[in-house]
Amino acid sequence: MRLLANGRVVSKTRIPAHGQVLRVELRAVGDVEEDTSPASLEEDCRDGCCGLIKRPGDLYEVLAFHLDRVLGLNRSLPAMARRFTSHLLPYSYTDGSLRPIIWWAPDLRHLEDANNDQNSCALRWLQYQEMLRPHRSTLAAGDGPCSSIPRGEWSRLALFDFLLQVHDRLDRYCCGFQPDPSEPCVEERLHEKCRNPGELVLVHILVRKSSPSRLVFIDNAGRPQHPEEKLNFRLLQGIDSFPAAAVATLRSGRLQSLLLESLRVDQELWESQGGAKGLRPLLQTIDRRARILLRYIQEHNLTVFEDSRR
């Protein structure tokens, strides 16, 4: 987090098919100058010294990282808010606007398919629902896509995505609510596919090569303004238990204060939002969603499981 917040930008590269995202190599303040050739950049990124600078509109990803920390899920990549001044960056990145920078995980596993490289494994909605069935056969489970990912990981993902209303992973088609005509899922005619569940696929299902049984949550900006009457409960479909530690935090009544305590570490974000007073409406939204989730768990007689704390 210190490297993301204060590291000096020494080189940059574009990410193919992601026009408004830059990958930058960072040096800790005081480090000596070293080779910044493309080959060196790749080597330093493999050593964990790179970050992704995203759009100002993606600042919610920083809150998502802190929510992940507070709930003890530990599946999101570190994220900080920052204003950039480096002459190496395009002007639009140095105009004083606050942007999120996300740690570049060097060993994310991507499919070799150029049309599906935002996944570690190709998984359809119906396959996903079958994986969640408590009494599926072990043989069938071991043969399927994403078979290395245990059911508890999907529970963590569903809880996290519901609180943030991240639809892109589990419901990029907006099948779980009635989208506005301006929604990308409508404009790209994805919503029409909800009539045929067999066509629906999951995206941004990623793991690290070093830990193939543990999901990595990326692109977590979610929807802070998503109306309460349109909450997407499809994100919870098939999930029959949730991590006990995360649920205990939601029940404690301390979610907002814990988030404030965590967010205070990011001084740029804290000051830009007006401190605790400015952040309060956003945290109240998360807290209301948490209470709705707890009610859902109670009404459906769902259980909790002890977290391995990995």
Side-chain angles (χ1 to χ4, degrees):
M1 291 172 68
R2 282 193 291 270
L3 181 67
L4 294 175
N6 304 310
R8 182 166 44 89
V9 175
V10 295
S11 64
K12 71 177 188 299
T13 185
R14 294 277 181 187
I15 302 296
H18 294 77
Q20 298 189 57
V21 175
L22 279 180
R23 186 177 70 173
V24 293
E25 178 188 358
L26 301 168
R27 289 272 199 278
V29 176
D31 277 5
V32 296
E33 289 287 349
E34 295 179 19
D35 179 19
T36 56
S37 65
S40 174
L41 172 61
E42 290 302 324
E43 184 175 335
D44 285 331
C45 286
R46 283 195 294 271
D47 290 339
C49 296
C50 291
L52 284 183
I53 305 177
K54 304 190 77 171
R55 301 169 302 180
D58 293 324
L59 265 181
Y60 199 43
E61 287 210 40
V62 180
L63 171 65
F65 166 63
H66 287 271
L67 177 64
D68 176 285
R69 277 178 26 139
V70 162
L71 294 178
L73 302 175
N74 302 318
R75 298 301 187 268
S76 299
L77 301 176
M80 297 290 286
R82 181 169 173 180
R83 290 183 173 85
F84 292 90
T85 57
S86 171
H87 68 279
L88 296 175
L89 300 176
Y91 172 73
S92 60
Y93 285 74
T94 60
D95 61 0
S97 58
L98 197 63
R99 288 175 176 262
I101 178 168
I102 318 296
W103 180 65
W104 174 268
D107 65 339
L108 282 183
R109 191 168 73 193
H110 295 275
L111 290 173
E112 294 182 3
D113 180 357
N115 295 318
N116 196 17
D117 68 343
Q118 288 300 297
N119 283 318
S120 296
C121 51
L123 188 62
R124 293 185 175 274
W125 171 259
L126 294 180
Q127 291 173 314
Y128 167 63
Q129 288 298 302
E130 179 65 24
M131 286 173 58
L132 296 179
R133 288 176 55 191
H135 303 300
R136 63 186 178 136
S137 72
T138 304
L139 179 61
D143 290 343
C146 304
S147 58
S148 67
I149 303 171
R151 291 176 64 213
E153 289 297 289
W154 303 110
S155 299
R156 294 180 181 90
L157 177 63
L159 180 147
F160 185 70
D161 279 4
F162 182 81
L163 293 177
L164 296 168
Q165 287 296 290
V166 175
H167 304 152
D168 292 347
R169 273 186 281 262
L170 299 174
D171 187 21
R172 66 187 301 240
Y173 307 88
C174 310
C175 299
F177 65 101
Q178 185 56 49
D180 294 329
S182 60
E183 293 272 6
C185 61
V186 176
E187 292 182 345
E188 297 170 19
R189 307 190 69 173
L190 296 174
H191 187 60
E192 299 171 7
K193 296 185 178 182
C194 293
R195 294 190 292 263
N196 185 1
E199 292 187 26
L200 309 182
V201 299
L202 276 57
V203 295
H204 294 160
I205 304 303
L206 291 165
V207 299
R208 297 177 68 176
K209 296 172 185 175
S210 57
S211 187
S213 63
R214 180 183 173 116
L215 287 172
V216 176
F217 302 165
I218 69 163
D219 288 353
N220 302 322
R223 297 164 180 248
Q225 309 305 328
H226 194 71
E228 208 161 285
E229 64 273 13
K230 285 189 176 183
L231 288 180
N232 191 350
F233 285 89
R234 184 180 175 86
L235 303 174
L236 306 174
Q237 189 169 323
I239 303 295
D240 60 6
S241 63
F242 292 93
V247 171
T249 300
L250 299 183
R251 285 177 174 155
S252 69
R254 299 184 59 231
L255 182 60
Q256 291 188 56
S257 61
L258 290 171
L259 278 170
L260 284 174
E261 182 181 341
S262 185
L263 285 162
R264 198 183 295 268
V265 172
D266 193 322
Q267 279 300 303
E268 287 280 9
L269 182 73
W270 183 266
E271 292 172 7
S272 74
Q273 301 300 308
K277 183 178 179 180
L279 286 164
R280 188 71 70 180
L282 193 54
L283 304 191
Q284 288 171 343
T285 296
I286 301 292
D287 204 27
R288 283 195 303 272
R289 291 175 184 174
R291 292 198 296 271
I292 290 169
L293 176 59
L294 291 173
R295 190 162 64 243
Y296 176 92
I297 292 172
Q298 182 178 12
E299 290 174 352
H300 291 80
N301 295 315
L302 305 182
T303 60
V304 298
F305 61 86
E306 292 302 323
D307 201 332
S308 63
R309 287 295 181 189
R310 290 187 308 143

PDB file of all heavy atoms in Angstrom, residues 152-177:
ATOM      1  N   GLY A 152     -16.626 -22.690  -0.692  1.00  0.00           N
ATOM      2  CA  GLY A 152     -16.523 -21.541   0.204  1.00  0.00           C
ATOM      3  C   GLY A 152     -16.065 -20.276  -0.496  1.00  0.00           C
ATOM      4  O   GLY A 152     -16.422 -19.166  -0.085  1.00  0.00           O
ATOM      5  N   GLU A 153     -15.268 -20.427  -1.552  1.00  0.00           N
ATOM      6  CA  GLU A 153     -14.806 -19.258  -2.301  1.00  0.00           C
ATOM      7  C   GLU A 153     -15.966 -18.545  -2.976  1.00  0.00           C
ATOM      8  O   GLU A 153     -16.024 -17.325  -3.029  1.00  0.00           O
ATOM      9  CB  GLU A 153     -13.770 -19.674  -3.347  1.00  0.00           C
ATOM     10  CG  GLU A 153     -12.432 -20.084  -2.761  1.00  0.00           C
ATOM     11  CD  GLU A 153     -11.767 -18.929  -2.031  1.00  0.00           C
ATOM     12  OE1 GLU A 153     -11.320 -17.980  -2.693  1.00  0.00           O
ATOM     13  OE2 GLU A 153     -11.686 -18.976  -0.788  1.00  0.00           O
ATOM     14  N   TRP A 154     -16.905 -19.327  -3.505  1.00  0.00           N
ATOM     15  CA  TRP A 154     -18.068 -18.709  -4.173  1.00  0.00           C
ATOM     16  C   TRP A 154     -18.952 -17.999  -3.150  1.00  0.00           C
ATOM     17  O   TRP A 154     -19.584 -16.986  -3.470  1.00  0.00           O
ATOM     18  CB  TRP A 154     -18.853 -19.786  -4.930  1.00  0.00           C
ATOM     19  CG  TRP A 154     -18.018 -20.521  -5.940  1.00  0.00           C
ATOM     20  CD1 TRP A 154     -17.600 -21.811  -5.879  1.00  0.00           C
ATOM     21  CD2 TRP A 154     -17.474 -19.985  -7.163  1.00  0.00           C
ATOM     22  NE1 TRP A 154     -16.837 -22.133  -6.972  1.00  0.00           N
ATOM     23  CE2 TRP A 154     -16.741 -21.029  -7.786  1.00  0.00           C
ATOM     24  CE3 TRP A 154     -17.524 -18.736  -7.779  1.00  0.00           C
ATOM     25  CZ2 TRP A 154     -16.078 -20.853  -8.992  1.00  0.00           C
ATOM     26  CZ3 TRP A 154     -16.866 -18.563  -8.991  1.00  0.00           C
ATOM     27  CH2 TRP A 154     -16.153 -19.608  -9.587  1.00  0.00           C
ATOM     28  N   SER A 155     -18.993 -18.523  -1.928  1.00  0.00           N
ATOM     29  CA  SER A 155     -19.761 -17.862  -0.873  1.00  0.00           C
ATOM     30  C   SER A 155     -19.163 -16.493  -0.536  1.00  0.00           C
ATOM     31  O   SER A 155     -19.887 -15.516  -0.351  1.00  0.00           O
ATOM     32  CB  SER A 155     -19.793 -18.742   0.382  1.00  0.00           C
ATOM     33  OG  SER A 155     -20.412 -19.981   0.121  1.00  0.00           O
ATOM     34  N   ARG A 156     -17.843 -16.443  -0.449  1.00  0.00           N
ATOM     35  CA  ARG A 156     -17.175 -15.163  -0.187  1.00  0.00           C
ATOM     36  C   ARG A 156     -17.457 -14.172  -1.316  1.00  0.00           C
ATOM     37  O   ARG A 156     -17.732 -12.994  -1.075  1.00  0.00           O
ATOM     38  CB  ARG A 156     -15.664 -15.376  -0.048  1.00  0.00           C
ATOM     39  CG  ARG A 156     -15.262 -16.193   1.165  1.00  0.00           C
ATOM     40  CD  ARG A 156     -13.738 -16.360   1.237  1.00  0.00           C
ATOM     41  NE  ARG A 156     -13.367 -17.167   2.389  1.00  0.00           N
ATOM     42  CZ  ARG A 156     -13.252 -18.499   2.378  1.00  0.00           C
ATOM     43  NH1 ARG A 156     -13.465 -19.164   1.255  1.00  0.00           N
ATOM     44  NH2 ARG A 156     -12.928 -19.154   3.470  1.00  0.00           N
ATOM     45  N   LEU A 157     -17.366 -14.680  -2.550  1.00  0.00           N
ATOM     46  CA  LEU A 157     -17.598 -13.818  -3.710  1.00  0.00           C
ATOM     47  C   LEU A 157     -19.024 -13.282  -3.722  1.00  0.00           C
ATOM     48  O   LEU A 157     -19.255 -12.086  -3.951  1.00  0.00           O
ATOM     49  CB  LEU A 157     -17.317 -14.600  -4.993  1.00  0.00           C
ATOM     50  CG  LEU A 157     -17.583 -13.867  -6.311  1.00  0.00           C
ATOM     51  CD1 LEU A 157     -16.665 -12.655  -6.442  1.00  0.00           C
ATOM     52  CD2 LEU A 157     -17.401 -14.802  -7.499  1.00  0.00           C
ATOM     53  N   ALA A 158     -20.001 -14.149  -3.469  1.00  0.00           N
ATOM     54  CA  ALA A 158     -21.406 -13.732  -3.501  1.00  0.00           C
ATOM     55  C   ALA A 158     -21.700 -12.687  -2.435  1.00  0.00           C
ATOM     56  O   ALA A 158     -22.393 -11.688  -2.697  1.00  0.00           O
ATOM     57  CB  ALA A 158     -22.311 -14.952  -3.315  1.00  0.00           C
ATOM     58  N   LEU A 159     -21.173 -12.884  -1.229  1.00  0.00           N
ATOM     59  CA  LEU A 159     -21.376 -11.908  -0.146  1.00  0.00           C
ATOM     60  C   LEU A 159     -20.788 -10.556  -0.531  1.00  0.00           C
ATOM     61  O   LEU A 159     -21.434  -9.515  -0.399  1.00  0.00           O
ATOM     62  CB  LEU A 159     -20.745 -12.453   1.136  1.00  0.00           C
ATOM     63  CG  LEU A 159     -20.853 -11.595   2.396  1.00  0.00           C
ATOM     64  CD1 LEU A 159     -20.962 -12.478   3.643  1.00  0.00           C
ATOM     65  CD2 LEU A 159     -19.633 -10.670   2.558  1.00  0.00           C
ATOM     66  N   PHE A 160     -19.553 -10.576  -1.011  1.00  0.00           N
ATOM     67  CA  PHE A 160     -18.836  -9.352  -1.390  1.00  0.00           C
ATOM     68  C   PHE A 160     -19.565  -8.626  -2.528  1.00  0.00           C
ATOM     69  O   PHE A 160     -19.810  -7.418  -2.460  1.00  0.00           O
ATOM     70  CB  PHE A 160     -17.426  -9.750  -1.815  1.00  0.00           C
ATOM     71  CG  PHE A 160     -16.499  -8.618  -2.133  1.00  0.00           C
ATOM     72  CD1 PHE A 160     -16.021  -7.786  -1.143  1.00  0.00           C
ATOM     73  CD2 PHE A 160     -16.066  -8.414  -3.438  1.00  0.00           C
ATOM     74  CE1 PHE A 160     -15.123  -6.760  -1.438  1.00  0.00           C
ATOM     75  CE2 PHE A 160     -15.176  -7.388  -3.738  1.00  0.00           C
ATOM     76  CZ  PHE A 160     -14.710  -6.560  -2.739  1.00  0.00           C
ATOM     77  N   ASP A 161     -19.933  -9.366  -3.559  1.00  0.00           N
ATOM     78  CA  ASP A 161     -20.584  -8.755  -4.715  1.00  0.00           C
ATOM     79  C   ASP A 161     -21.967  -8.221  -4.381  1.00  0.00           C
ATOM     80  O   ASP A 161     -22.396  -7.209  -4.941  1.00  0.00           O
ATOM     81  CB  ASP A 161     -20.672  -9.756  -5.872  1.00  0.00           C
ATOM     82  CG  ASP A 161     -19.366  -9.865  -6.651  1.00  0.00           C
ATOM     83  OD1 ASP A 161     -18.382  -9.234  -6.246  1.00  0.00           O
ATOM     84  OD2 ASP A 161     -19.336 -10.587  -7.663  1.00  0.00           O
ATOM     85  N   PHE A 162     -22.677  -8.871  -3.460  1.00  0.00           N
ATOM     86  CA  PHE A 162     -23.997  -8.364  -3.085  1.00  0.00           C
ATOM     87  C   PHE A 162     -23.878  -7.027  -2.346  1.00  0.00           C
ATOM     88  O   PHE A 162     -24.616  -6.083  -2.625  1.00  0.00           O
ATOM     89  CB  PHE A 162     -24.747  -9.374  -2.215  1.00  0.00           C
ATOM     90  CG  PHE A 162     -26.130  -8.917  -1.851  1.00  0.00           C
ATOM     91  CD1 PHE A 162     -27.181  -9.059  -2.745  1.00  0.00           C
ATOM     92  CD2 PHE A 162     -26.384  -8.309  -0.630  1.00  0.00           C
ATOM     93  CE1 PHE A 162     -28.464  -8.613  -2.432  1.00  0.00           C
ATOM     94  CE2 PHE A 162     -27.654  -7.852  -0.304  1.00  0.00           C
ATOM     95  CZ  PHE A 162     -28.697  -8.005  -1.210  1.00  0.00           C
ATOM     96  N   LEU A 163     -22.937  -6.939  -1.419  1.00  0.00           N
ATOM     97  CA  LEU A 163     -22.781  -5.700  -0.652  1.00  0.00           C
ATOM     98  C   LEU A 163     -22.396  -4.531  -1.553  1.00  0.00           C
ATOM     99  O   LEU A 163     -22.822  -3.397  -1.331  1.00  0.00           O
ATOM    100  CB  LEU A 163     -21.737  -5.886   0.445  1.00  0.00           C
ATOM    101  CG  LEU A 163     -22.107  -6.855   1.568  1.00  0.00           C
ATOM    102  CD1 LEU A 163     -20.943  -7.004   2.539  1.00  0.00           C
ATOM    103  CD2 LEU A 163     -23.360  -6.405   2.301  1.00  0.00           C
ATOM    104  N   LEU A 164     -21.591  -4.803  -2.573  1.00  0.00           N
ATOM    105  CA  LEU A 164     -21.140  -3.750  -3.482  1.00  0.00           C
ATOM    106  C   LEU A 164     -22.012  -3.644  -4.723  1.00  0.00           C
ATOM    107  O   LEU A 164     -21.860  -2.704  -5.500  1.00  0.00           O
ATOM    108  CB  LEU A 164     -19.691  -4.015  -3.898  1.00  0.00           C
ATOM    109  CG  LEU A 164     -18.650  -3.959  -2.776  1.00  0.00           C
ATOM    110  CD1 LEU A 164     -17.322  -4.511  -3.248  1.00  0.00           C
ATOM    111  CD2 LEU A 164     -18.484  -2.534  -2.276  1.00  0.00           C
ATOM    112  N   GLN A 165     -22.891  -4.630  -4.917  1.00  0.00           N
ATOM    113  CA  GLN A 165     -23.681  -4.732  -6.148  1.00  0.00           C
ATOM    114  C   GLN A 165     -22.763  -4.727  -7.381  1.00  0.00           C
ATOM    115  O   GLN A 165     -22.922  -3.951  -8.319  1.00  0.00           O
ATOM    116  CB  GLN A 165     -24.741  -3.644  -6.218  1.00  0.00           C
ATOM    117  CG  GLN A 165     -25.899  -3.864  -5.253  1.00  0.00           C
ATOM    118  CD  GLN A 165     -26.714  -5.126  -5.563  1.00  0.00           C
ATOM    119  OE1 GLN A 165     -27.427  -5.195  -6.556  1.00  0.00           O
ATOM    120  NE2 GLN A 165     -26.612  -6.136  -4.685  1.00  0.00           N
ATOM    121  N   VAL A 166     -21.792  -5.615  -7.337  1.00  0.00           N
ATOM    122  CA  VAL A 166     -20.941  -5.900  -8.498  1.00  0.00           C
ATOM    123  C   VAL A 166     -21.664  -6.960  -9.315  1.00  0.00           C
ATOM    124  O   VAL A 166     -21.803  -8.105  -8.879  1.00  0.00           O
ATOM    125  CB  VAL A 166     -19.552  -6.424  -8.060  1.00  0.00           C
ATOM    126  CG1 VAL A 166     -18.735  -6.826  -9.295  1.00  0.00           C
ATOM    127  CG2 VAL A 166     -18.807  -5.381  -7.254  1.00  0.00           C
ATOM    128  N   HIS A 167     -22.126  -6.598 -10.494  1.00  0.00           N
ATOM    129  CA  HIS A 167     -22.879  -7.536 -11.320  1.00  0.00           C
ATOM    130  C   HIS A 167     -22.010  -8.216 -12.372  1.00  0.00           C
ATOM    131  O   HIS A 167     -22.395  -9.259 -12.909  1.00  0.00           O
ATOM    132  CB  HIS A 167     -24.027  -6.815 -12.044  1.00  0.00           C
ATOM    133  CG  HIS A 167     -24.952  -6.099 -11.117  1.00  0.00           C
ATOM    134  ND1 HIS A 167     -25.670  -4.981 -11.467  1.00  0.00           N
ATOM    135  CD2 HIS A 167     -25.268  -6.329  -9.816  1.00  0.00           C
ATOM    136  CE1 HIS A 167     -26.388  -4.560 -10.453  1.00  0.00           C
ATOM    137  NE2 HIS A 167     -26.146  -5.355  -9.441  1.00  0.00           N
ATOM    138  N   ASP A 168     -20.868  -7.608 -12.674  1.00  0.00           N
ATOM    139  CA  ASP A 168     -20.107  -8.038 -13.845  1.00  0.00           C
ATOM    140  C   ASP A 168     -19.642  -9.488 -13.776  1.00  0.00           C
ATOM    141  O   ASP A 168     -19.521 -10.138 -14.802  1.00  0.00           O
ATOM    142  CB  ASP A 168     -18.882  -7.132 -14.035  1.00  0.00           C
ATOM    143  CG  ASP A 168     -19.281  -5.724 -14.433  1.00  0.00           C
ATOM    144  OD1 ASP A 168     -20.457  -5.539 -14.784  1.00  0.00           O
ATOM    145  OD2 ASP A 168     -18.435  -4.814 -14.388  1.00  0.00           O
ATOM    146  N   ARG A 169     -19.360  -9.994 -12.587  1.00  0.00           N
ATOM    147  CA  ARG A 169     -18.826 -11.350 -12.492  1.00  0.00           C
ATOM    148  C   ARG A 169     -19.908 -12.406 -12.671  1.00  0.00           C
ATOM    149  O   ARG A 169     -19.825 -13.284 -13.521  1.00  0.00           O
ATOM    150  CB  ARG A 169     -18.151 -11.543 -11.129  1.00  0.00           C
ATOM    151  CG  ARG A 169     -16.712 -11.116 -11.099  1.00  0.00           C
ATOM    152  CD  ARG A 169     -16.094 -11.482  -9.757  1.00  0.00           C
ATOM    153  NE  ARG A 169     -16.473 -10.537  -8.723  1.00  0.00           N
ATOM    154  CZ  ARG A 169     -15.716  -9.515  -8.326  1.00  0.00           C
ATOM    155  NH1 ARG A 169     -14.556  -9.305  -8.904  1.00  0.00           N
ATOM    156  NH2 ARG A 169     -16.103  -8.700  -7.374  1.00  0.00           N
ATOM    157  N   LEU A 170     -20.924 -12.341 -11.831  1.00  0.00           N
ATOM    158  CA  LEU A 170     -21.920 -13.409 -11.762  1.00  0.00           C
ATOM    159  C   LEU A 170     -23.166 -13.123 -12.598  1.00  0.00           C
ATOM    160  O   LEU A 170     -23.915 -14.052 -12.919  1.00  0.00           O
ATOM    161  CB  LEU A 170     -22.333 -13.644 -10.298  1.00  0.00           C
ATOM    162  CG  LEU A 170     -21.202 -14.070  -9.354  1.00  0.00           C
ATOM    163  CD1 LEU A 170     -21.706 -14.137  -7.915  1.00  0.00           C
ATOM    164  CD2 LEU A 170     -20.627 -15.421  -9.770  1.00  0.00           C
ATOM    165  N   ASP A 171     -23.402 -11.861 -12.930  1.00  0.00           N
ATOM    166  CA  ASP A 171     -24.631 -11.514 -13.663  1.00  0.00           C
ATOM    167  C   ASP A 171     -24.399 -10.322 -14.575  1.00  0.00           C
ATOM    168  O   ASP A 171     -25.061  -9.296 -14.463  1.00  0.00           O
ATOM    169  CB  ASP A 171     -25.774 -11.223 -12.680  1.00  0.00           C
ATOM    170  CG  ASP A 171     -27.114 -11.029 -13.383  1.00  0.00           C
ATOM    171  OD1 ASP A 171     -27.260 -11.499 -14.527  1.00  0.00           O
ATOM    172  OD2 ASP A 171     -28.000 -10.389 -12.796  1.00  0.00           O
ATOM    173  N   ARG A 172     -23.469 -10.469 -15.510  1.00  0.00           N
ATOM    174  CA  ARG A 172     -23.172  -9.357 -16.423  1.00  0.00           C
ATOM    175  C   ARG A 172     -24.337  -9.063 -17.367  1.00  0.00           C
ATOM    176  O   ARG A 172     -24.350  -8.046 -18.053  1.00  0.00           O
ATOM    177  CB  ARG A 172     -21.911  -9.657 -17.229  1.00  0.00           C
ATOM    178  CG  ARG A 172     -22.029 -10.817 -18.201  1.00  0.00           C
ATOM    179  CD  ARG A 172     -20.694 -11.145 -18.826  1.00  0.00           C
ATOM    180  NE  ARG A 172     -20.126 -10.027 -19.555  1.00  0.00           N
ATOM    181  CZ  ARG A 172     -19.848 -10.063 -20.867  1.00  0.00           C
ATOM    182  NH1 ARG A 172     -20.099 -11.154 -21.569  1.00  0.00           N
ATOM    183  NH2 ARG A 172     -19.327  -9.021 -21.459  1.00  0.00           N
ATOM    184  N   TYR A 173     -25.323  -9.951 -17.382  1.00  0.00           N
ATOM    185  CA  TYR A 173     -26.486  -9.783 -18.261  1.00  0.00           C
ATOM    186  C   TYR A 173     -27.634  -9.046 -17.565  1.00  0.00           C
ATOM    187  O   TYR A 173     -28.667  -8.805 -18.166  1.00  0.00           O
ATOM    188  CB  TYR A 173     -26.978 -11.156 -18.737  1.00  0.00           C
ATOM    189  CG  TYR A 173     -25.882 -11.988 -19.355  1.00  0.00           C
ATOM    190  CD1 TYR A 173     -25.079 -12.820 -18.560  1.00  0.00           C
ATOM    191  CD2 TYR A 173     -25.615 -11.932 -20.716  1.00  0.00           C
ATOM    192  CE1 TYR A 173     -24.061 -13.574 -19.121  1.00  0.00           C
ATOM    193  CE2 TYR A 173     -24.601 -12.682 -21.288  1.00  0.00           C
ATOM    194  CZ  TYR A 173     -23.823 -13.501 -20.488  1.00  0.00           C
ATOM    195  OH  TYR A 173     -22.800 -14.229 -21.043  1.00  0.00           O
ATOM    196  N   CYS A 174     -27.464  -8.737 -16.282  1.00  0.00           N
ATOM    197  CA  CYS A 174     -28.497  -8.042 -15.495  1.00  0.00           C
ATOM    198  C   CYS A 174     -29.784  -8.855 -15.450  1.00  0.00           C
ATOM    199  O   CYS A 174     -30.894  -8.304 -15.527  1.00  0.00           O
ATOM    200  CB  CYS A 174     -28.787  -6.645 -16.053  1.00  0.00           C
ATOM    201  SG  CYS A 174     -27.330  -5.617 -16.334  1.00  0.00           S
ATOM    202  N   CYS A 175     -29.669 -10.160 -15.310  1.00  0.00           N
ATOM    203  CA  CYS A 175     -30.855 -11.021 -15.252  1.00  0.00           C
ATOM    204  C   CYS A 175     -31.562 -10.925 -13.902  1.00  0.00           C
ATOM    205  O   CYS A 175     -32.734 -11.269 -13.792  1.00  0.00           O
ATOM    206  CB  CYS A 175     -30.471 -12.477 -15.510  1.00  0.00           C
ATOM    207  SG  CYS A 175     -29.720 -12.776 -17.133  1.00  0.00           S
ATOM    208  N   GLY A 176     -30.847 -10.439 -12.873  1.00  0.00           N
ATOM    209  CA  GLY A 176     -31.405 -10.421 -11.534  1.00  0.00           C
ATOM    210  C   GLY A 176     -32.170  -9.163 -11.172  1.00  0.00           C
ATOM    211  O   GLY A 176     -32.642  -9.030 -10.042  1.00  0.00           O
ATOM    212  N   PHE A 177     -32.295  -8.215 -12.108  1.00  0.00           N
ATOM    213  CA  PHE A 177     -33.066  -6.995 -11.852  1.00  0.00           C
ATOM    214  C   PHE A 177     -33.443  -6.395 -13.201  1.00  0.00           C
ATOM    215  O   PHE A 177     -32.913  -6.805 -14.242  1.00  0.00           O
ATOM    216  CB  PHE A 177     -32.265  -5.982 -11.017  1.00  0.00           C
ATOM    217  CG  PHE A 177     -31.045  -5.438 -11.715  1.00  0.00           C
ATOM    218  CD1 PHE A 177     -31.058  -4.190 -12.313  1.00  0.00           C
ATOM    219  CD2 PHE A 177     -29.870  -6.181 -11.777  1.00  0.00           C
ATOM    220  CE1 PHE A 177     -29.943  -3.687 -12.959  1.00  0.00           C
ATOM    221  CE2 PHE A 177     -28.746  -5.687 -12.427  1.00  0.00           C
ATOM    222  CZ  PHE A 177     -28.781  -4.443 -13.016  1.00  0.00           C
TER     223      PHE A 177
END
